[in-house]
Amino acid sequence: MKLGVCAQAFYHLPLDAALKQVAALGLSAMELPVHRANPFVDLESAVAGRGEALRRSFATAGVTISALSNHAEGQLLFGPHSADTDVMFEGDAPAKIAFARKRLALTAELAEAMGVGIVSGFTGCEDYSRWFPWPVEDGYERMMPAFRERMMPVLDDFQRRGVRFAIECHPRQFAYNLDTARLALEAVDHHPALAFNFDPANLMIAGTDPVAFIAELGDRIVHVHAKDGELVAHHAARSGLQAHGAWDRPGRGFRFRVPGWGDLSWKRILTELQTSGYRGVISIEHEDPTFAPIEGIEQAVRHLQPLLFRDPPATSRWW
């Protein structure tokens, strides 16, 4: 396993300076966003140039790309298609769906050109509130045909390009916990291009033990976010885990933390990943409202680096 990082903590820097900082922190990889609002990559230009400029920048810094990501635009594939998502693309539902398909296709094309085998992202969800069994008990299952209809062409395109779409379980996604991750796989006939970007803090919000997720679906995990979460007991008693408002507002019952500062056991998580056969990048995602960008990354590196498995398990018992 190797430590990498999600790019957002370095958005205040130009790409070359950001990569230099990543290398100085002892990190070997970056997950690179390509949605329109990111400051590092113009997706259309990168595709036209077959990713050569990006390849040079990363090679010069000695940093690899663990995955391309396109969460914001993937969200528009399945919705919601209300004004809430106009910040990503303004238009009616058919226009937003078409935009999502186009941008995901370009993302897969760039990944193929650059030899990056993973794109992480969201799929969206038509009506996330249908997890609650009222007014119909099978409300969530009723969304599966539309999920299949929109996902299958995307997954077929990714498969042709030798790229896997690693969806991230998260609130307001069709797959947000272990049960709905299984529904997503079932909806697309366990398509080989569908995989998971494992984010344990997101699963924690849903009340899912991240280690249980690895134990059951570890063979589908192709990318990992190192993000912790904290149940703030003195606030959760009044607001619960999924409280409204900004992530950094005081009084939240749950907040994201950098690894080592939350409630998750990284020894358990890394052990189960090792057992499941995961040998990829552990990508630090810093969304902790209590730390500045670089300080938070430094804290995460200090906590995780001594815990990483360097080698695969031995093939025979020596004791």
Side-chain angles (χ1 to χ4, degrees), residues 80-103:
H81 297 126
S82 62
D84 289 358
T85 52
D86 281 353
V87 67
M88 301 156 191
F89 182 79
E90 194 167 347
D92 59 12
K96 287 182 175 180
I97 294 166
F99 178 75
R101 286 174 173 164
K102 175 184 176 182
R103 297 289 291 183

Side-chain angles (χ1 to χ4, degrees), residues 137-179:
E137 293 184 355
D138 63 342
Y140 223 84
E141 286 76 6
R142 291 186 187 192
M143 294 190 291
M144 290 175 67
F147 182 82
R148 175 187 175 87
E149 178 187 356
R150 294 182 200 159
M151 284 297 297
M152 288 298 281
V154 172
L155 294 173
D156 287 344
D157 179 51
F158 272 60
Q159 186 176 20
R160 283 192 296 270
R161 297 184 180 280
V163 180
R164 301 189 76 182
F165 188 23
I167 61 174
E168 181 175 336
C169 293
H170 188 279
R172 298 195 82 177
Q173 306 307 311
F174 183 82
Y176 69 92
N177 64 3
L178 182 51
D179 285 342

Side-chain angles (χ1 to χ4, degrees), residues 71-298:
H71 290 70
E73 291 158 0
Q75 179 79 38
L76 299 177
L77 194 64
F78 202 37
H81 297 126
S82 62
D84 289 358
T85 52
D86 281 353
V87 67
M88 301 156 191
F89 182 79
E90 194 167 347
D92 59 12
K96 287 182 175 180
I97 294 166
F99 178 75
R101 286 174 173 164
K102 175 184 176 182
R103 297 289 291 183
L104 288 174
L106 285 170
T107 304
E109 185 176 353
L110 180 61
E112 179 189 28
M114 298 187 67
V116 177
I118 302 165
V119 170
S120 65
F122 289 155
T123 65
C125 185
E126 175 186 316
D127 184 355
Y128 173 62
S129 70
R130 293 175 85 176
W131 61 265
F132 192 79
W134 190 90
V136 291
E137 293 184 355
D138 63 342
Y140 223 84
E141 286 76 6
R142 291 186 187 192
M143 294 190 291
M144 290 175 67
F147 182 82
R148 175 187 175 87
E149 178 187 356
R150 294 182 200 159
M151 284 297 297
M152 288 298 281
V154 172
L155 294 173
D156 287 344
D157 179 51
F158 272 60
Q159 186 176 20
R160 283 192 296 270
R161 297 184 180 280
V163 180
R164 301 189 76 182
F165 188 23
I167 61 174
E168 181 175 336
C169 293
H170 188 279
R172 298 195 82 177
Q173 306 307 311
F174 183 82
Y176 69 92
N177 64 3
L178 182 51
D179 285 342
T180 52
R182 288 195 171 281
L183 281 181
L185 286 167
E186 180 184 337
V188 297
D189 300 330
H190 296 261
H191 198 293
L194 182 63
F196 292 103
N197 178 49
F198 172 75
D199 187 311
N202 294 344
L203 292 167
M204 185 181 173
I205 296 175
T208 298
D209 182 350
V211 177
F213 189 98
I214 303 168
E216 293 197 33
L217 292 177
D219 61 332
R220 289 273 176 165
I221 293 172
V222 296
H223 197 255
V224 171
H225 278 174
K227 185 171 73 184
D228 214 327
E230 178 188 10
L231 172 65
V232 189
H234 54 288
H235 294 316
R238 59 178 294 277
S239 68
L241 289 184
Q242 298 197 43
H244 74 283
W247 280 108
D248 59 351
R249 76 166 174 86
R252 287 197 66 89
F254 178 89
R255 58 188 167 210
F256 290 133
R257 304 304 309 270
V258 294
W261 284 81
D263 298 332
L264 294 173
S265 168
W266 288 92
K267 288 183 179 179
R268 287 183 68 224
I269 290 170
L270 293 171
T271 296
E272 198 64 34
L273 286 169
Q274 172 85 338
T275 301
S276 75
Y278 185 78
R279 304 290 182 262
V281 170
I282 309 296
S283 187
I284 297 166
E285 185 175 30
H286 176 13
E287 296 180 350
D288 188 324
T290 69
F291 283 111
I294 301 305
E295 183 185 11
I297 300 294
E298 290 171 338

Side-chain angles (χ1 to χ4, degrees), residues 16 46 64:
D16 288 344
T64 62

